[in-house]
Amino acid sequence: MKQINALESQVRSYCRKYPVVFEKARGSFLIDKDGKKYFDFLCGAGSLNYGHNNPIMKKEIIDYLNDDGITHSLDLATKSKEEFLNSFSKHILAPRNLNYKIQFTGPTGTNAVEAALKIARKVTGRTKVISFTNGFHGVTLGSVAATGNSFHRGGAGTSLNDVTFMPYDGYMGKKINTIDYLRRVLEDNSSGIDLPAAVILETIQGEGGINIASSKWLQSLQDLCHEFGILMIVDDIQVGCGRTGTFFSFENMGIEPDLVVMSKSLSGFGLPFSLLLLKPDLDKWKPGEHNGTFRGNNLAFLAAKTAIDYFWTTQELEAEITLKSNILKERLEKMAKENISSDIEVRGKGMVCGIDCILEDLASAIQHQCFENGLILETCGSDDHVVKLLPALTISDDELREGLDILEQSIKQVMNQSDFQKKLEAEIVEK
Ligand code: PLP
């Protein structure tokens, strides 16, 4: 660890919170160099929905490499690309009646977001984009311009242009429909808000604090987009690929976005891979206009196809997620209310959940205590005040319960050791 700290840039972040050297990983566990085992409820910030080293994908990858399968090919046509496209089209798009062209972007989520913003601007001829408070879309310049968090925005070192932020669902309190405000400014020629090319949003804000948009809000937003000729971009990078209980987070929400951005768990094995889904009439790119050396990672094509064929050709995984989601939500509600405060809110859907600890220090102390006790999880929200849980969708019930036991024990330790109770009460009274 000392060597890493000495050699690696100051920009490193997760390894500061979990200061051990990890060596191995399997399923829902990470194992450090000393052999200590940790439950992994961070899961690569949502990149490991099927767990670490999933044996089904691992076998395919090893066989493929042993057979001299192609690993790098720019965007040449390869067998693994063809098979992925066929599988994605047949098992993901067709059963959901979705008609999208598939664009392979550079391997990071933020590159796919850049592609979505570029094509939306190109097609509409407009420059402005509307993003939402607490939204997170990545840290390259176009994406960070659409990201609310001032810490990440500050890292840009230049002005961030052409994005207007509007209040997300619930931002002004539960009783205020923020779409009314958006409608008002779009209708008013003197609002100072130019007609945008697109809106970009997450259906559940993963980094922003597990804020969940209701289907009613999403539908009203879509209606507004249709009325004003604005494109709707859904960033499903963190909460897609089954995280919320369905493959796409917007399924059953009554919307059909014009553009969808995917990454993280798409490859199913933690391999870098991103794509942009575009309604066919939006596919106005000239060949190579948005490109990248590592578009279309063939090992990721293979792993992603394997994951789709294994997990998404039956209803089994979805049923499992529903069951485990109930365990997760019930346990979290109970432990938060009993051990922290009855005013604590637990938010979540499917297998993405957060405990809003109100105080950053409290969330951070719980995260630290969990690490000491053998559970890795993340904090999120505007002030990092939400403890976030992203267990693998494939975790067993027993493992999930054990991980949650550690969380509960850690919360108890933290609440017993310090004066958080008093601080929390003061904060709640103030609010
Ligand atoms: N969009 C969302 C919703 C994300 O959660 C993230 C990463 O956490 C990104 C975009 C950026 O993806 P990447 O870190 O791969 O660039």
Side-chain angles (χ1 to χ4, degrees):
M1 193 76 205
K2 258 193 193 156
Q3 285 253 299
I4 291 177
N5 291 345
L7 295 170
E8 194 184 348
S9 156
Q10 290 297 335
V11 81
R12 66 195 188 279
S13 67
Y14 286 110
C15 57
R16 294 175 191 271
K17 292 176 188 160
Y18 324 111
V20 291
V21 179
F22 294 103
E23 193 177 15
K24 292 188 180 207
R26 182 172 307 152
S28 288
F29 296 98
L30 277 163
I31 298 148
D32 74 14
K33 262 173 46 172
D34 298 326
K36 182 171 173 186
K37 216 170 157 185
Y38 299 82
F39 277 92
D40 184 5
F41 282 12
L42 167 63
C43 275
S47 308
L48 293 158
N49 282 3
Y50 315 108
H52 289 271
N53 277 311
N54 187 290
I56 302 145
M57 286 149 249
K58 185 163 75 176
K59 182 177 180 316
E60 291 294 327
I61 290 170
I62 290 170
D63 290 351
Y64 181 85
L65 288 174
N66 279 337
D67 205 27
D68 283 339
I70 290 168
T71 51
H72 185 269
S73 58
L74 295 169
D75 76 345
L76 292 172
T78 61
K79 188 164 169 263
S80 52
K81 178 197 271 194
E82 192 172 42
E83 288 180 354
F84 167 77
L85 284 170
N86 285 336
S87 182
F88 193 84
S89 164
K90 183 172 170 200
H91 300 304
I92 301 296
L93 297 181
R96 293 164 179 82
N97 275 323
L98 293 171
N99 183 18
Y100 289 115
K101 291 293 285 292
I102 302 167
Q103 177 185 351
F104 299 116
T105 64
T108 55
T110 195
N111 190 262
V113 170
E114 296 285 351
L117 297 173
K118 276 163 76 171
I119 197 68
R121 287 174 167 136
K122 183 180 162 77
V123 168
T124 59
R126 301 177 209 136
T127 50
K128 303 290 179 197
V129 164
I130 284 181
S131 184
F132 291 91
T133 48
N134 283 309
F136 181 85
H137 300 289
V139 296
T140 50
L141 285 184
S143 309
V144 82
T147 290
N149 186 290
S150 58
F151 174 70
H152 291 112
R153 294 177 68 80
T158 186
S159 52
L160 298 171
N161 301 316
D162 294 328
V163 179
T164 307
F165 284 85
M166 287 287 151
Y168 191 71
D169 193 12
Y171 188 73
M172 316 287 293
K174 284 190 178 130
K175 288 191 187 137
I176 295 181
N177 180 2
T178 60
I179 297 295
D180 291 343
Y181 174 61
L182 181 52
R183 170 173 289 284
R184 180 82 184 97
V185 298
L186 289 175
E187 280 174 350
D188 180 1
N189 286 330
S190 285
S191 67
I193 306 291
D194 297 331
L195 187 64
V199 298
I200 181 163
L201 68 144
E202 301 151 89
T203 61
I204 297 180
Q205 296 182 321
E207 298 301 296
I210 319 296
N211 308 314
I212 305 176
S214 67
S215 52
K216 193 167 160 242
W217 188 86
L218 291 168
Q219 285 165 23
S220 311
L221 179 60
Q222 177 171 267
D223 290 346
L224 206 55
C225 286
H226 288 166
E227 204 178 311
F228 285 86
I230 301 166
L231 299 174
M232 184 188 230
I233 307 171
V234 166
D235 178 345
D236 234 8
I237 288 175
Q238 185 159 152
V239 295
C241 299
R243 183 49 66 186
T244 62
T246 48
F247 187 83
F248 294 109
S249 71
F250 55 84
E251 277 173 56
N252 311 324
M253 302 298 269
I255 60 163
E256 198 176 311
D258 299 294
L259 297 141
V260 182
V261 195
M262 307 205 70
S263 185
K264 291 205 190 266
S265 278
L266 182 64
S267 78
F269 202 73
L271 294 167
F273 186 33
S274 301
L275 59 74
L276 172 64
L277 301 176
L278 332 87
K279 287 271 173 71
D281 60 322
L282 301 178
D283 191 16
K284 302 280 190 223
W285 292 113
K286 295 195 177 81
E289 204 174 6
H290 184 88
N291 66 21
T293 305
F294 291 104
R295 270 169 303 162
N297 171 343
N298 283 269
L299 286 183
F301 283 143
L302 172 71
K305 177 213 175 295
T306 308
I308 291 169
D309 292 353
Y310 188 81
F311 289 110
W312 296 101
T313 49
T314 70
Q315 309 297 309
E316 250 173 68
L317 182 66
E318 280 170 301
E320 280 277 306
I321 299 169
T322 306
L323 291 177
K324 280 182 280 210
S325 155
N326 292 338
I327 301 177
L328 192 58
K329 197 89 194 288
E330 261 173 42
R331 278 291 305 273
L332 290 181
E333 289 274 3
K334 195 160 180 289
M335 75 174 78
K337 300 236 175 320
E338 281 178 2
N339 299 294
I340 309 177
S341 156
S342 56
D343 290 303
I344 291 292
E345 193 185 356
V346 170
R347 297 188 286 270
K349 186 175 174 193
M351 299 279 280
V352 46
C353 275
I355 305 177
D356 188 336
C357 296
I358 303 172
L359 304 171
E360 177 187 353
D361 289 358
L362 175 57
S364 156
I366 293 172
Q367 180 189 36
H368 178 72
Q369 191 61 55
C370 282
F371 171 68
E372 293 292 317
N373 293 344
L375 168 66
I376 287 177
L377 40 68
E378 193 174 7
T379 56
C380 64
S382 49
D383 296 315
D384 271 327
H385 56 290
V386 179
V387 169
K388 173 161 84 168
L389 291 94
L390 293 167
L393 309 180
T394 49
I395 193 170
S396 72
D397 289 4
D398 285 347
E399 285 168 351
L400 181 59
R401 288 197 176 94
E402 266 180 70
L404 291 170
D405 288 345
I406 298 180
L407 175 60
E408 182 163 13
Q409 181 203 342
S410 306
I411 291 175
K412 282 184 177 149
Q413 278 171 278
V414 167
M415 295 307 287
N416 285 339
Q417 278 161 14
S418 57
D419 58 354
F420 280 122
Q421 203 73 57
K422 264 197 210 143
K423 281 196 203 161
L424 207 52
E425 274 162 28
E427 191 69 27
I428 290 165
V429 168
E430 206 173 293
K431 282 198 170 175

